[in-house]
Amino acid sequence: MTQSNSTDSLNTATGSNTEAEATSASVSSTATSATGSSKGMPTGSSVIDPVNRIEGHLRIDMEVTDGFVTDAWVSGGLFRGMELVLENRQPTDAAMISQRICGVCPVSHANTSCLAGERSYGITIPNGARIIRNIVEGAQFLHSNILWFYNLVALDYVNPLDALNADIEKTIALADAAGTTQADFAGIQKRLKEFAENGQLSIFSGNWFDAIEHDGSSAYKLTPELNLICTAHYLEALEMQAVASEISGIIGGKMPHIMTSVPGGTAFVPTEEKLDDLLFRAKTLLNWVETTMIPDTYAIAPFYMDEFGNGQTDGNYIAWGVFDTKESLEGSLNNPGAAAAFRDMPGGVFSFHESNYKAVQDWDADKIVEYTNHSFYDPADDGPKTPHVDGVTHPDFRDEYALPELMVNGSNIGGHPTNSRYTWDKAPRYDDMVVEAGGLSRLLVAYGRGNEFIVEQIDALLAALGVPGQVEVLNSTMGRTGGRNVETYYIATKMVEWITELVTAIKGGKAEDVATFAEPATRTGDGYGMWEAPRGALYHYMDVKDDKIQKYQIIIPTTWNISPRDPDDRKGPIEKAMIGLPVEDLQKPIHALRVVHSFDPCVACAVHISEPATGKKFSVVTSPWGVK
């Protein structure tokens, strides 16, 4: 699929040369402006609490000086303690329980827990189980990516109320020119008008549609016609993410929280009817992503070229790899780092700046450490801790850690104590680097590995935006947002391939190709699983003795991204990405919100139930009848 002419088509259809004109000159870093003074621009503290349209409880505190962010703190406000819940359980229980960390990416937790269990048990899963895991994981990725882009992120860029001003004939012409799908635009506009007239905006409530830029212009740049198209596709996305979840439900018995992934393989038994159901849905999703999601990405991005200059991190990326090939299972017990390189979405470590990582390197689990110097954990455990060596989870919240008092307070800008604890999130580091995880990380690692599909699509996207070959511009708010949609396209194509591969294997009838489960070789051991969730690099570790878990540790993708400062006072990725952002209105820091949403944080996962202040606690019910 080629989208290189989308920008020209859009300008022709709208009859204007607007901000949508994408040239390399328009990609500039806003961060450099933070050092200057902007007369009349706000100075003070700006707080987003809670950040909406994400999973979990996240707070962003920013110091703003002359209209630009000069410091930031990211606080995860929830502790769940799932590692502690999993102690003294069986590894088979872990795959079921750890899914309850999150309702959006439960499949990833199940599969990663299974990988840890399989290394503990000495199991290499059969080929049939590998394919089935890829399919159910891919379905969850499609569900999450579609939901994230259209229903969580889109309202930072799309103004459904402005769609009331759209001309229907121009909207139809624009959809044709952009190569995206048509809809009942008149009917949708009528529904929007009813929302607006009765004052109840329903799913479009809680918006910042009146946010403005430093120059007084609207922060929402799309034409009314494009706003109407994107609003129509917002509604379609609700249906498409449900189709993806149906695939997970067919394989897993239900969704969320599938029941068929277990250490050793899968309990799912493919039948002709189920395979037909899977293939139909996979093809439906591929067609929609190809004809709607990708064209929408090309249509929206040129209007927000300034966001390619916002939201930069240190430019260090990790991806463990996901979607195993048959080859990657051979020797995986002995050399998991090398095995990651064979995955369909290959793993590795990459950096735009670190000399050791300018070429993608295989990951090494021993290079992971966590700090808690600024987190609500026992100070005796501040680190560095390597999870599979000496990692611990000892929550310790004290009254003096009260967040609002520790954060900037308006009268004392810059008063945040350097030794304060302000989050439940730990601070993981890889090889002494602050690293970013997520869709962009997978994309850049795969690009560096030479994945043909990814290279072709990224090169086409950059060319269409007028910045051919400038991969570094993806280290940005818009790069993080648009790039993940390229990954969605890739996974949608692979879903059809995997289902076809499974059908072929079953038709071939070879036992080694259709087997779905392998028994444990031992009941004592330890191991980690390193896999990807939609939001990035996911790590589970378990130490097992006589079939009972002695210790469990988890590092969630968002743990990397919402990391607090480490002992060297290095900010985590989102904290770093905030610096230099323009803020016109302390009450509506729209660029900061866009940055946070571009990472798609899942705080419920990251900070992984206890209430020390009240003494409340819970215990796991073990009776098969659900009562004690």
Side-chain angles (χ1 to χ4, degrees), residues 540-558:
H540 281 233
Y541 167 78
M542 67 173 71
D543 183 6
V544 182
K545 182 178 180 180
D546 298 329
D547 228 19
K548 287 291 182 70
I549 296 172
Q550 308 300 304
K551 175 181 176 181
Y552 209 100
Q553 286 291 288
I554 307 171
I555 302 180
I556 310 295
T558 297

Side-chain angles (χ1 to χ4, degrees), residues 370-437:
E370 289 184 295
Y371 298 96
T372 55
N373 303 67
H374 292 280
S375 309
F376 303 139
Y377 295 93
D378 190 336
D381 301 326
D382 278 349
K385 301 287 187 181
T386 299
H388 54 273
V389 177
D390 55 1
V392 292
T393 302
H394 295 150
D396 184 17
F397 183 84
R398 304 177 186 182
D399 289 342
E400 61 264 32
Y401 298 157
L403 228 60
E405 287 71 30
L406 287 178
M407 291 299 179
V408 289
N409 55 28
S411 62
N412 182 25
I413 299 301
H416 192 289
T418 57
N419 62 347
S420 67
R421 298 177 185 267
Y422 57 93
T423 180
W424 283 108
D425 195 58
K426 297 180 181 180
R429 299 292 183 261
Y430 182 89
D431 199 16
D432 198 36
M433 295 190 300
V434 179
V435 293
E436 176 181 338

Side-chain angles (χ1 to χ4, degrees), residues 2-11 177-179 294-295 298-299 302 464:
T2 301
Q3 293 290 332
S4 58
N5 295 322
S6 292
T7 302
D8 292 337
S9 298
L10 279 170
N11 289 336
I294 295 300
Y298 277 82

Side-chain angles (χ1 to χ4, degrees), residues 75-365:
S75 307
L78 172 73
F79 176 76
R80 302 181 67 212
M82 293 301 287
E83 291 104 332
L84 306 181
V85 173
L86 289 166
E87 291 178 2
N88 297 314
R89 308 288 302 206
Q90 289 184 314
T92 49
D93 291 338
M96 301 295 111
I97 295 173
S98 66
Q99 290 187 73
R100 271 65 186 177
I101 290 174
C102 183
V104 178
C105 52
V107 177
S108 300
H109 286 289
N111 288 335
T112 309
S113 181
C114 286
L115 289 173
E118 284 149 10
R119 290 203 174 100
S120 302
Y121 277 153
I123 298 172
T124 298
I125 65 171
N127 186 52
R130 172 193 68 83
I131 302 172
I132 291 168
R133 275 193 190 170
N134 282 354
I135 296 169
V136 71
E137 186 72 61
Q140 180 200 246
F141 265 74
L142 292 180
H143 161 265
S144 186
N145 287 8
I146 292 169
L147 175 69
W148 164 74
F149 180 67
Y150 282 99
N151 307 123
L152 303 183
V153 172
L155 295 185
D156 292 346
Y157 305 94
V158 176
N159 183 351
L161 296 183
D162 187 52
L164 295 173
N165 302 316
D167 181 283
I168 299 302
E169 290 186 3
K170 288 183 179 180
T171 302
I172 294 170
L174 178 57
D176 284 339
T180 193
T181 49
Q182 298 284 348
D184 179 12
F185 297 125
I188 292 169
Q189 191 180 55
K190 182 176 182 294
R191 291 166 62 189
L192 289 172
K193 184 178 180 181
E194 292 172 354
F195 283 162
E197 287 179 347
N198 67 21
Q200 298 181 17
L201 297 181
S202 184
I203 54 178
F204 304 125
S205 300
N207 60 77
W208 289 355
F209 297 148
D210 57 348
I212 59 176
E213 304 281 7
H214 275 181
D215 62 4
S217 64
S218 173
Y220 285 78
K221 309 295 186 183
L222 302 187
T223 65
E225 289 73 24
L226 188 51
N227 275 317
L228 182 54
I229 291 171
C230 292
T231 302
H233 295 162
Y234 174 108
L235 299 173
E236 287 181 11
L238 294 171
E239 299 176 8
M240 288 299 107
Q241 54 93 9
V243 172
S245 282
E246 287 171 3
I247 294 177
S248 299
I250 291 170
I251 293 176
K254 65 186 185 70
M255 182 65 181
H257 309 138
I258 63 172
M259 300 183 291
T260 52
S261 284
V262 292
T266 178
F268 173 69
V269 178
T271 64
E272 182 177 351
E273 181 181 6
K274 289 179 179 178
L275 290 170
D276 185 58
D277 288 344
L278 293 173
L279 187 59
F280 169 75
R281 286 167 174 77
K283 288 183 175 180
T284 298
L285 287 165
L286 173 57
N287 178 68
W288 189 81
V289 169
E290 188 173 36
T291 61
T292 303
M293 192 173 193
I294 295 300
D296 285 353
T297 304
Y298 277 82
I300 293 171
F303 284 87
Y304 292 97
M305 293 301 289
D306 59 326
E307 296 295 355
F308 283 101
N310 292 332
Q312 289 88 355
T313 66
D314 287 332
N316 306 325
Y317 303 94
I318 54 164
W320 305 147
V322 66
F323 308 126
D324 282 318
T325 66
K326 189 174 182 180
E327 292 76 18
S328 71
L329 293 175
E330 297 175 3
S332 62
L333 292 175
N334 299 318
N335 197 359
F342 294 103
R343 289 178 173 175
D344 280 326
M345 184 60 72
V349 186
F350 170 76
S351 173
F352 283 124
H353 309 297
E354 297 284 343
S355 59
N356 292 338
Y357 294 100
K358 287 184 177 178
V360 178
Q361 304 290 316
D362 289 342
W363 49 257
D364 180 351

Side-chain angles (χ1 to χ4, degrees), residues 571-591:
K571 298 177 177 65
I574 294 184
E575 290 183 341
K576 181 63 178 290
M578 292 290 165
I579 306 303
L581 291 176
V583 177
E584 167 62 29
D585 183 349
L586 296 177
Q587 299 296 318
K588 296 177 180 178
I590 184 67
H591 296 287

